[in-house]
């Protein structure tokens, strides 16, 4: 794992295993932030992050005017398993993980499909996201490059998506090898958000 620039989270390696910790219920009644996991692909334009308008700061970062990201290339079983795993990582938090486009624009989005080269990147990362430490990235747009994941793909996609969503919810890389947000490849099996990371995300969402 490594971070590129002060406002980008980048995931290069992920856990081989899933197994999210459910943890304490930190979701206030009636309050939830929606994260749209988009496997449909499409044209993403450079500009201030806006899921509804398909605009991304990350596209602009690489000097592109627009990119065309392929749709998710895997199987239905991989997608279903990945979604269940990601939802498990965020269980008990004020976060809704969905794979159908929400109404309106006030949500976060992570696009799953393609390779880093589709964004103009040559770093070989598995995911990339905007990040404002300690705060939610407004209408953030992130990427998980599933076509670059060649082994244990369901687990790889799950951990990458959860990690990048963690960045959009204000988490920087952490030094704890048990933490899903760890920034070093010091251990890959059974990563989960630590209690302190979960509290930080809940605080950022409530702010």
């Amino acid at each position: 794992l490594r971070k590129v620039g002060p406002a980008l989270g980048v995931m290069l390696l992920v856990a081989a295993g899933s197994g999210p910790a459910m943890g304490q219920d930190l979701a206030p009644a009636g309050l939830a932030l929606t994260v749209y996991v988009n496997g449909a692909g499409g044209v993403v334009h450079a500009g201030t992050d806006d899921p509804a308008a398909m605009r991304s700061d990350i596209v602009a970062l690489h000097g592109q005017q627009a990119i065309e990201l392929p749709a998710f290339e895997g199987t239905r079983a991989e997608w279903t398993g990945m979604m269940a795993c990601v939802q498990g990582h965020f269980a008990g938090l004020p976060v809704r993980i969905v794979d159908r486009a929400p109404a309106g624009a006030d949500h976060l989005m992570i696009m799953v499909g393609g390779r880093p080269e589709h964004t103009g990147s040559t770093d070989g990362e598995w995911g990339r996201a905007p990040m404002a430490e300690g705060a939610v990235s407004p209408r953030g747009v992130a990427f998980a490059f599933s076509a670059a994941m060649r082994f244990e793909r369901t687990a790889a996609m799950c951990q990458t998506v959860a990690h990048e969503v963690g960045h959009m919810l204000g988490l920087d890389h952490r030094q704890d090898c048990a933490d899903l947000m760890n920034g070093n490849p010091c251990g890959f099996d059974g990563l989960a958000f630590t209690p302190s990371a979960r509290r930080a995300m809940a605080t950022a969402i409530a702010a």
Side-chain angles (χ1 to χ4, degrees):
L1 305 179
R2 65 189 176 90
K3 182 181 171 189
V4 175
L8 288 178
V10 175
M11 192 169 204
L12 291 170
L13 295 170
V14 296
S18 54
M22 305 306 262
Q24 179 184 2
D25 189 344
L26 299 172
L31 174 65
L33 176 66
T34 298
V35 178
Y36 172 33
V37 184
N38 180 356
V43 176
V44 185
H45 298 274
T48 302
D49 280 351
D50 187 332
M54 294 288 280
R55 290 200 307 263
S56 166
D57 283 324
I58 291 171
V59 173
L61 175 73
H62 292 297
Q64 308 291 319
Q65 293 298 314
I67 64 165
E68 185 167 1
L69 193 76
F72 173 65
E73 72 299 328
T75 66
R76 181 179 295 275
E78 287 177 331
W79 184 268
T80 301
M82 179 268 293
M83 285 295 298
C85 178
V86 173
Q87 288 165 344
H89 277 302
F90 290 95
L93 285 165
V95 177
R96 292 175 60 244
I97 306 293
V98 302
D99 59 3
R100 292 188 179 184
D106 204 11
H107 58 273
L108 308 180
M109 179 174 73
I110 180 163
M111 299 191 71
V112 180
R115 299 177 179 275
E117 302 92 288
H118 286 108
T119 65
S121 173
T122 58
D123 291 337
E125 68 271 25
W126 279 3
R128 181 163 288 208
M131 188 194 72
E133 188 169 2
V136 174
S137 296
R139 298 183 182 179
V141 175
F143 298 88
F145 304 115
S146 56
M149 304 173 197
R150 298 181 181 177
F151 55 90
E152 300 192 57
R153 282 172 43 86
T154 299
M157 291 186 298
C158 169
Q159 305 292 16
T160 302
V161 168
H163 180 103
E164 301 305 337
V165 172
H167 281 311
M168 290 196 288
L169 298 181
L171 296 183
D172 200 346
H173 288 147
R174 295 174 168 229
Q175 298 304 310
D176 185 344
C177 283
D179 195 322
L180 182 56
M181 298 306 297
N182 86 71
N184 300 297
C186 53
F188 303 117
D189 193 23
L191 294 181
F193 291 119
T194 59
S196 64
R198 291 171 62 82
R199 287 192 298 270
M201 287 189 287
T203 298
I205 293 167

